[in-house]
Amino acid sequence: MEAVASPHALPPRANLRLTPGGLAKFANPPRISAMSTMNISLPEGLKEFVDAQVGSRGFGTSSEYVRELIRKDQDRQQLRALLLAGAQSAPTAPVNAAYFDSLRKRITSKKSK
């Protein structure tokens, strides 16, 4: 018996990219760049965990799962750097109701022009 494609089927995996929130981006498939190989050793318990995550979260391979973990860690480090830079910056005027009211007035005046 021949399998019939569902009208709701996802595109092939090569054309699917997950955003940090897990939503697919179909319009801009990932650019494939040269890949390097890295071998890692894991205790059996961690390997089983990775295999379970690959199966349950829709990753094609353990490499895809590890790449996603690395991307998330890069994002976390970038956010941390931005937060530290903000904490070290000079204080500004407090953000309160009056500040947001002035923003609303500026936006409203730009729309009416």
Side-chain angles (χ1 to χ4, degrees):
M1 180 188 301
E2 184 177 324
V4 177
S6 164
H8 304 291
L10 294 175
R13 184 79 179 155
N15 293 330
L16 178 65
R17 178 175 39 173
L18 298 178
T19 63
L23 300 174
K25 283 190 175 182
F26 299 103
N28 298 317
R31 292 196 170 120
I32 298 174
S33 59
M35 297 273 191
S36 297
T37 299
M38 176 184 282
N39 295 314
I40 60 171
S41 298
L42 297 173
E44 189 60 32
L46 287 180
K47 182 187 179 308
E48 290 171 1
F49 177 81
V50 169
D51 291 341
Q53 295 304 300
V54 169
S56 67
R57 295 177 57 194
F59 293 99
T61 65
S62 57
S63 291
E64 288 180 10
Y65 176 67
V66 171
R67 283 192 293 270
E68 182 66 17
L69 291 177
I70 293 169
R71 285 185 198 102
K72 285 183 179 185
D73 194 45
Q74 288 174 327
D75 291 345
R76 184 192 59 78
Q77 287 181 17
Q78 182 181 12
L79 177 60
R80 184 175 192 278
L82 291 170
L83 290 171
L84 288 173
Q88 294 172 354
S89 66
T92 62
V95 177
N96 53 24
Y99 171 80
F100 287 108
D101 288 339
S102 70
L103 282 179
R104 285 185 199 95
K105 287 177 187 175
R106 283 180 28 205
I107 291 170
T108 304
S109 69
K110 286 182 181 181
K111 286 183 180 179
S112 63
K113 289 183 180 180

